[in-house]
Amino acid sequence: MKFFVDTADVKDIRELNDLGLLDGVTTNPSLILKSGGKIAEVTKEICDIVKGPVSAEVTATEYSEMMQQAKALAKIADNVCIKVPLTLDGLKACKTIRTEMNRLVNVTLCFSANQALLAAKAGASFISPFVGRIDDIGIDGMELIQEIRQIYDNYDFQTEILVASVRTVNHVKQAALIGADVVTAPPATLKALVNHPLTDKGLAAFLADWAKTGQKIG
C-alpha cells in the first residue's frame, strides 16, 4: 500500500518524507486555503520535497476551463497529478489529460461504485472515494472500497483506489485488508499508526533494565 499525506503544510510533508514512508501528497482548495500560500508556489515547494505524485486540483467546473487550469498546473512540476471532480465535465477532462497530456489524473469526490466505474472507464490514474464523509451520513464507507475493489478486479482496471477522507487509523487498516492501492490521510493519522501501549510499555521496561547494567553502546 502507498501512503499519501493529505495536506498542503510543507513542514508536515517534509517531516513525513524524511521518515522514508511517504509515497505522495494530495491537496485540494481547502488545504491550499489553510496553508495560506498561493497554489503554484505551495505546489512547487511540495513537488521539490516529494518524488511521488502530488495532486493539485482544478477549481473550474466546465471542461474547457478545466483543461486550461490542468495545463497551468502541469507546468509547475513533472510530478503534479491533476485532480478533477467526478462530474461529466471532469470525466471528459480526465480522458483528455490522460490521452493528450499524458499526465496522471486523480478523480476526486467519489461516493459510489458507479462513479468509480466511470472514472476507470475514463482512464483515471487514481479514484478517490471519501470514506469519512460517507461514514458521516450513517453508511459504512469501507463497503464502498470493497465494491470498487471487486469491480476493478472483475475487469482488470488499472485505476488505483486512493482511499480519502480518512479519519482514523482503523480506516487505514481496513483499506489495507480490502486491498486498496493507496491511502491518503492527515499527518496526525499517519503518525498515529505507530502507536501501541504495549510498545511504549515494552520500551520503557527495556530502557529501565539497560540503565541498571551501567553499560554504554559506542
Side-chain angles (χ1 to χ4, degrees), residues 13-215:
I13 292 169
R14 195 181 303 277
E15 178 185 357
L16 288 166
N17 189 66
D18 287 345
L19 292 174
L21 300 175
L22 197 60
D23 299 294
V25 176
T26 54
T27 70
N28 59 46
S30 297
L31 293 173
I32 293 295
L33 172 64
K34 188 176 180 180
S35 76
K38 295 182 179 179
I39 184 169
E41 296 174 358
V42 173
T43 304
K44 179 64 169 64
E45 190 170 2
I46 295 171
C47 288
D48 288 342
I49 298 169
V50 181
K51 293 182 179 179
V54 176
S55 289
E57 188 167 345
V58 301
T59 57
T61 57
E62 301 293 331
Y63 168 76
S64 59
E65 293 182 12
M66 284 184 184
M67 290 308 303
Q68 290 177 356
Q69 292 185 357
K71 292 174 183 176
L73 292 172
K75 292 179 181 178
I76 295 174
D78 290 339
N79 56 329
V80 167
C81 173
I82 310 300
K83 199 173 183 183
V84 299
L86 217 161
T87 62
L88 290 177
D89 284 270
L91 292 172
K92 184 178 180 181
C94 172
K95 192 69 165 181
T96 304
I97 295 166
R98 291 291 289 139
T99 57
E100 297 184 11
M101 294 175 58
N102 194 30
R103 298 298 294 247
L104 297 178
V105 179
N106 179 356
V107 179
T108 190
L109 293 171
C110 173
F111 295 96
S112 78
N114 283 334
Q115 289 179 320
L117 177 58
L118 290 175
K121 291 285 288 182
S125 310
F126 303 99
I127 181 66
S128 289
F130 279 35
V131 294
R133 295 194 193 185
I134 293 175
D135 287 349
D136 289 344
I137 61 172
I139 301 173
D140 185 355
M142 300 314 296
E143 288 185 6
L144 173 59
I145 306 304
Q146 290 177 318
E147 291 174 349
I148 298 172
R149 181 74 280 161
Q150 181 175 340
I151 291 171
Y152 283 10
D153 288 347
N154 283 349
Y155 300 102
D156 197 28
F157 285 122
Q158 298 305 301
T159 299
E160 296 188 48
I161 302 172
L162 195 166
V163 180
S165 187
V166 167
R167 305 279 177 77
T168 68
V169 293
N170 200 45
H171 276 154
V172 178
K173 180 185 75 173
Q174 289 177 313
L177 288 170
I178 292 168
D181 302 286
V182 190
V183 66
T184 186
T189 303
L190 290 180
K191 293 177 186 177
L193 293 173
V194 77
N195 295 337
H196 196 285
L198 293 180
T199 301
D200 296 338
K201 183 178 180 181
L203 180 59
F206 289 156
L207 293 177
D209 287 342
W210 179 250
K212 293 174 184 177
T213 70
Q215 300 179 46

